[in-house]
Amino acid sequence: MLKKLRGGCLMGIGYMLSPLSWWNDLFFNMPIAYLFAYSFSWIFPDLFLPLTAVGYWLSNIIGILMMHRGATDMLFEQKQRDFKKDLLIGFGTSTVYTLVVLVKSGGFCCSVSSE
């Protein structure tokens, strides 16, 4: 019972951080990304925007992994975890989603000037 309750909490928090809840980016992921970038901008002041993207990406990965772990705890009694596979799925999904957000928002500029 306690394992299922823990799994439900992990799924709920993971959902708020994951790319599945795009509407919560403003309240969860972006403040986390900003704090991540701000904490490292003391060392690398010119990298604030790229560090914000990295923080956003990491918060999405953490959300996906938390959802996966929570669902596993809730739905399966005894399941062997393949941490490497879970991590690769989290990295892949979050990377694609973060790139889509950056391209759509104009934060990722791919234009080449012809000077």
Side-chain angles (χ1 to χ4, degrees), residues 3 7 15 21 23-27 35 41 44 52 55 60 67 78-79 81 84 87-88 94-95 105 112 115:
K3 187 176 180 181
Y15 177 75
S21 65
W23 50 273
N24 268 343
D25 280 348
L26 182 63
F27 303 108
L35 288 173
S41 70
F44 308 107
T52 304
N60 280 318
M67 282 182 58
Q78 296 293 328
K79 181 179 185 280
R81 297 196 202 306
K84 190 175 183 178
L87 198 59
L88 288 174
S94 295
T95 301
S105 69
V112 177
E115 291 183 32

Side-chain angles (χ1 to χ4, degrees), residues 1-105:
M1 178 67 175
L2 187 59
K3 187 176 180 181
K4 290 186 186 250
L5 182 63
R6 180 185 70 185
C9 289
L10 282 174
M11 268 198 71
I13 295 168
Y15 177 75
M16 294 300 192
L17 292 173
S18 77
L20 299 176
S21 65
W22 56 268
W23 50 273
N24 268 343
D25 280 348
L26 182 63
F27 303 108
F28 290 100
N29 293 65
M30 290 311 292
I32 291 170
Y34 180 82
L35 288 173
F36 178 82
Y38 183 74
S39 64
F40 283 101
S41 70
W42 291 91
I43 302 167
F44 308 107
D46 295 336
L47 297 178
F48 184 79
L49 189 60
L51 287 170
T52 304
V54 169
Y56 179 76
W57 178 65
L58 288 173
S59 69
N60 280 318
I61 290 172
I62 291 169
I64 288 173
L65 293 176
M66 287 176 74
M67 282 182 58
H68 183 76
R69 174 83 186 252
T72 303
D73 283 351
M74 285 177 48
L75 301 175
F76 302 108
E77 293 299 323
Q78 296 293 328
K79 181 179 185 280
Q80 293 286 42
R81 297 196 202 306
D82 187 1
F83 183 73
K84 190 175 183 178
K85 179 182 173 186
D86 296 345
L87 198 59
L88 288 174
I89 289 171
F91 279 139
T93 307
S94 295
T95 301
V96 169
Y97 181 77
T98 303
L99 288 173
V100 168
V101 167
L102 286 172
V103 168
K104 286 286 200 181
S105 69

